[in-house]
Amino acid sequence: MKYLVLLSLTVLLNVFVNAQSKVILLGTGTPNPDPDHAGSSVAILVNDNAYLVDFGAGIVRNAARMTPQYGGEFPQLEAKNLKLAFLTHLHSDHTIGLPDLLLTPWVLERDVPLELYGPVGTKHLADNIVEAYKADIDYRLNGLEPANETGWKVNTHEFEEDGIIYVDSLVKVEAFHVEHGSWTNAFGFRFTTPDKTIVLSGDTRPCENILNYSKGADILVHEVYSYHRWTKRNEFWKKYHAANHTSTLELGELAAKTKPGKLVLYHLLFWGDTEEDLLNEIATKYDGEVIVGRDCMVIE
């Protein structure tokens, strides 16, 4: 008995010590239908586990692009392995891929319900997606196309307070409120893995919580818009973006205070600027490593 306990502890210790965490940007775009930037979505891989954050348009296809079947190296992102997902807020550009995430992996043999963690309102969204696709689900269950009886289901776990929302043997996930216009339930996430701390801003303007939770992160994945191009917009849109999002200059100031190992830009609003323009603006406030995110980019 003691031998078995020691063996189990040794196995767990090896898993912990040898853990390798990666961030894969499945979508770096915004509501704008830019064909080079899919909707906002990020995968965090820890060993054999995949943790998805947000479900913009194109999530399942870009995940598939990263698998061995399509020339990639991450079987964790095969459709049948997409089982665990976290939602920052209910804006459509972060949720429009949820029907795809719910149903396509089931068609491709996921045989367990999707475990979905999100703010209040997420259950209403997920339940109504299932209702909307009732005819499809019924046909696959009872028609000529055989399918398992569980993979189409979703177990929704809602939260409304800051704090730990999920724990397993490899990660601890903390949710924290961010300031995104008048949304009352917009969140960022802090993932603590055996080898990294990874923070995702979700959609937010600069606020105390993103400052506090991102201090010392190994990787900070943060939304951004071009300050230079923002100054050229009309007063309505200037007011909107200042209340909902974070400019290059504001992000540079935040990074200078929090000092992440790597600052990764996503949910990118270029408005005609280039990647170099964004980097140059941030560099006026921050001299650390900054990466302009691209779809299917891997960050370690």
Side-chain angles (χ1 to χ4, degrees):
M1 184 66 179
K2 288 183 179 179
Y3 172 78
L4 290 175
V5 171
L6 288 173
L7 181 61
S8 297
L9 288 173
T10 300
V11 171
L12 287 173
L13 183 61
N14 285 336
V15 169
F16 193 85
V17 170
N18 296 317
Q20 293 185 334
S21 305
K22 298 177 176 64
V23 173
I24 299 181
L25 304 178
L26 297 178
T28 56
T30 67
N32 300 324
D34 177 352
D36 294 325
H37 298 86
S40 185
S41 184
V42 176
I44 295 174
L45 305 187
V46 188
N47 292 2
D48 295 331
N49 293 6
Y51 307 85
L52 303 177
V53 178
D54 287 344
F55 334 116
I59 176 176
V60 175
R61 280 160 174 74
N62 270 354
R65 189 187 302 274
M66 305 302 290
T67 67
Q69 182 179 359
Y70 295 99
E73 55 181 291
F74 301 108
Q76 304 97 312
L77 293 176
E78 292 175 6
K80 66 181 180 180
N81 295 327
L82 304 180
K83 303 173 183 178
L84 185 57
F86 300 84
L87 179 62
T88 60
H89 67 297
L90 290 163
H91 251 148
S92 61
D93 58 311
H94 295 252
T95 62
I96 205 163
L98 183 54
D100 196 12
L101 179 60
L102 179 58
L103 296 171
T104 303
W106 170 50
V107 173
L108 297 175
E109 301 181 353
R110 183 182 66 204
D111 58 2
V112 296
L114 177 69
E115 299 293 334
L116 175 60
Y117 292 78
V120 172
T122 302
K123 180 172 171 50
H124 176 78
L125 174 67
D127 288 352
N128 279 280
I129 289 171
V130 171
E131 180 64 24
Y133 283 89
K134 186 176 180 180
D136 175 85
I137 294 168
D138 179 70
Y139 180 80
R140 295 182 192 280
L141 288 174
N142 302 306
L144 296 177
E145 182 179 350
N148 67 71
E149 296 185 356
T150 51
W152 61 272
K153 297 180 180 180
V154 55
N155 294 329
T156 306
H157 313 267
E158 293 188 332
F159 52 85
E160 53 185 329
E161 303 293 339
D162 294 2
I164 299 170
I165 60 168
Y166 177 85
V167 177
D168 65 23
S169 62
L170 290 172
V171 304
K172 175 180 72 175
V173 184
E174 298 167 89
F176 56 91
H177 277 91
V178 294
E179 297 181 12
H180 182 45
S182 58
W183 282 93
T184 55
N185 283 311
F187 288 84
F189 295 121
R190 181 182 175 102
F191 283 72
T192 303
T193 78
D195 63 324
K196 288 183 178 66
T197 299
I198 301 163
V199 176
L200 298 98
S201 71
D203 282 5
T204 183
R205 66 175 182 242
C207 62
E208 282 300 311
N209 257 1
I210 189 65
L211 180 67
N212 293 335
Y213 276 88
S214 61
K215 282 181 179 175
D218 295 290
I219 300 172
L220 171 59
V221 183
H222 203 292
E223 65 124 89
V224 72
Y225 65 82
S226 161
Y227 176 79
H228 165 250
R229 292 288 179 169
W230 173 83
T231 64
K232 308 297 183 183
R233 297 179 71 77
N234 65 42
E235 290 305 312
F236 174 88
W237 283 111
K238 286 169 73 173
K239 182 178 179 181
Y240 169 82
H241 286 290
N244 284 271
H245 298 291
T246 302
S247 74
T248 45
L249 300 190
E250 290 170 328
L251 183 53
E253 291 172 352
L254 183 144
K257 294 175 182 176
T258 60
K259 295 179 170 49
K262 295 179 181 179
L263 173 60
V264 181
L265 313 182
Y266 84 138
H267 199 276
L268 298 152
L269 276 170
F270 291 97
W271 292 318
D273 268 0
T274 65
E275 293 183 3
E276 186 178 3
D277 292 330
L278 297 185
L279 292 173
N280 287 339
E281 289 187 356
I282 291 174
T284 65
K285 303 289 184 178
Y286 177 61
D287 61 1
E289 182 177 1
V290 184
I291 301 168
V292 179
R294 297 176 181 174
D295 287 13
C296 298
M297 178 181 282
V298 181
I299 299 105
E300 299 187 49

